[in-house]
Amino acid sequence: MKDRILVIGASGQIGVELTLALRKIYGNNNVIASDLREQNPLLEGTGPYVSLDVMNSEMLHVQVIRQNITQIYLLAAILSATGEKNPNLAWHLNMQGLLNVLDIAREENIKKIYWPSSIAVFGPTSPKQNCPQQTIIEPITVYGISKYAGEFWCNYYHKRYDVDIRSLRYPGLISYKSAPGGGTTDYAVEIYHEALENKKYECFLNEDTYLPMMYMPDAIRATIELMEAPKSSINIRTSYNIAGMTFSPKEIANSIQKHLPDFSIAYKPDYRQQIAESWPQSIDDSIANTDWGWKPQFNLEKMTADMLLNLQANNK
Ligand code: NAD
Ligand code: AKB
């Protein structure tokens, strides 16, 4: 049987680009985009879209059967900064949404599930540099707590029910196609837009706040490489550390100034500073490299050149 894929949360920052990438591989009509909100304009005309609330397990079940779904990518979640404004909602969506998908996967023998975790699982007691796969993990945000609990639910469903669920701990993701949805790392996307539109940016993190980051093309490739890898090579059933690059607001501003010398940055840290300081500055992804060959392609300079080129082209 041909694979039929359901992407839940397809209108979000990752969802749009992942849906387009999956459509290239599996065929437009075999990748069903779904979201609570309306379809992102970039997806219009590229394949099927259904309105779906992942919290409604009956509705989810109906879609899985009706569309003959064999793989699910679950991207619906509330991210770190928005989560701190409404912890109950963040916990409820991030946990129940995942459990609804895991239950359907078990009942309907779904072949493969993808669910992303985050570097937000780590907390102030985790190592700051080259944070290993297995280490002290004491998250201080509701988002981080929900991701860490989610990782263990994934592991549990794999061990107990043989659900083939795979996961990555994404760093902060930077992209020019679809806007980010309420994370602490969103500054690294906003800064490019503001640099081109207003030649200045007020950053909500301090200049020397280093965080693990990744350019979206690397994140999409990592996701697809993980999902295409043979089952026997997937040894981590919680979630894999993956790394792209590490930089501070000052360093990303410097890299933009090489292209736009008039650009200036000011710093006005807010509540997100504390969240950022609780996370590692860099990640050890050697297990992902050993198990399924993960290697990033973009560094800060290459990403900045590509971001500015594409945003300028979009603005024409
Ligand atoms: P996003 O906020 O941009 O997109 C999430 C999408 O889910 C939105 O379009 C939203 O409308 C949808 N959604 C919300 N509630 C829903 C519901 N009840 N039913 C169906 N859809 C619903 O988020 P994103 O940045 O694309 O992140 C996707 C996943 O990747 C999340 O699990 C997130 O935690 C994880 N992640 C993202 C980053 C990042 O930097 N973007 C980093 C680490 C992990
Ligand atoms: C956030 O900042 O919340 C996300 C993440 C790192 O999970 N970008």
Side-chain angles (χ1 to χ4, degrees):
M1 188 173 63
K2 262 201 155 176
D3 270 306
R4 299 265 303 160
I5 299 178
L6 178 65
V7 182
I8 303 170
S11 297
Q13 190 194 6
I14 303 172
V16 169
E17 299 205 35
L18 192 53
T19 301
L20 292 172
L22 290 168
R23 283 183 175 161
K24 270 198 185 140
I25 300 169
Y26 290 94
N28 287 352
N29 288 330
N30 292 321
V31 180
I32 292 88
S34 74
D35 204 291
L36 198 55
R37 56 175 154 152
E38 70 278 13
Q39 177 169 217
N40 186 295
L42 292 171
L43 293 180
E44 266 164 35
T46 69
Y49 173 82
V50 294
S51 175
L52 177 71
D53 181 354
V54 71
M55 302 300 280
N56 184 336
S57 57
E58 272 175 36
M59 198 169 148
L60 178 62
H61 213 139
V62 167
Q63 285 299 344
V64 165
I65 309 261
R66 186 182 288 163
Q67 306 279 357
N68 293 316
I69 295 301
T70 61
Q71 295 189 31
I72 302 177
Y73 286 67
L74 170 58
L75 305 172
I78 290 181
L79 279 73
S80 61
T82 309
E84 291 312 291
K85 291 187 182 152
N86 197 338
N88 285 338
L89 184 67
W91 174 256
H92 194 51
L93 172 64
N94 295 1
M95 277 298 85
Q96 198 55 52
L98 174 61
L99 288 170
N100 286 351
V101 168
L102 288 172
D103 278 333
I104 277 166
R106 176 165 68 99
E107 285 162 30
E108 298 303 330
N109 284 322
I110 300 294
K111 275 207 309 214
K112 273 189 235 173
I113 304 284
Y114 178 73
W115 170 84
S117 183
S118 162
I119 53 138
V121 292
F122 299 114
T125 48
S126 306
K128 284 278 167 224
Q129 305 302 337
N130 285 324
C131 189
Q133 177 73 41
Q134 269 136 0
T135 184
I136 300 172
I137 298 193
E138 297 180 321
I140 60 160
T141 61
V142 66
Y143 175 65
I145 299 168
S146 72
K147 287 295 183 190
Y148 200 39
E151 289 187 5
F152 283 94
W153 275 120
C154 293
N155 194 48
Y156 182 85
Y157 272 70
H158 173 68
K159 298 268 180 295
R160 177 144 189 200
Y161 306 116
D162 199 27
V163 174
D164 187 358
I165 175 149
R166 305 178 182 198
S167 177
L168 298 173
R169 289 174 177 157
Y170 289 134
L173 300 182
I174 295 143
S175 63
Y176 59 87
K177 287 192 182 157
S178 174
T184 303
T185 58
D186 292 7
Y187 91 84
V189 179
E190 291 168 11
I191 193 169
Y192 289 106
H193 288 269
E194 293 296 313
L196 286 170
E197 281 157 35
N198 302 315
K199 295 186 182 164
K200 59 180 185 191
Y201 178 62
E202 186 176 89
C203 184
F204 56 76
L205 298 182
N206 274 326
E207 62 176 9
D208 55 356
T209 313
Y210 283 85
L211 285 172
M213 299 280 191
M214 182 175 280
Y215 196 32
M216 191 61 89
D218 269 345
I220 299 297
R221 192 171 50 80
T223 308
I224 288 170
E225 284 176 9
L226 172 78
M227 292 300 278
E228 299 285 310
K231 202 172 172 183
S232 56
S233 65
I234 307 297
N235 297 311
I236 303 283
R237 290 295 181 165
T238 49
S239 188
Y240 277 98
N241 274 11
I242 50 162
M245 60 189 97
T246 283
F247 57 77
S248 64
K250 191 176 176 181
E251 287 178 356
I252 191 174
N254 286 343
S255 82
I256 293 173
Q257 278 157 349
K258 286 182 193 155
H259 299 260
L260 306 169
D262 293 344
F263 171 64
S264 68
I265 182 164
Y267 303 95
K268 197 173 173 202
D270 64 15
Y271 71 101
R272 289 168 281 194
Q273 181 66 34
Q274 195 194 2
I275 301 176
E277 278 173 15
S278 76
W279 293 345
Q281 297 183 348
S282 61
I283 300 289
D284 172 5
D285 61 358
S286 49
I287 298 184
N289 176 269
T290 307
D291 282 5
W292 45 277
W294 167 243
K295 253 192 182 46
Q297 286 175 353
F298 282 87
N299 61 18
L300 176 58
E301 299 310 327
K302 206 170 153 193
M303 174 177 76
T304 293
D306 201 63
M307 277 293 283
L308 293 175
L309 192 75
N310 280 290
L311 287 174
Q312 276 162 331
N314 288 350
N315 289 342
K316 272 186 190 155

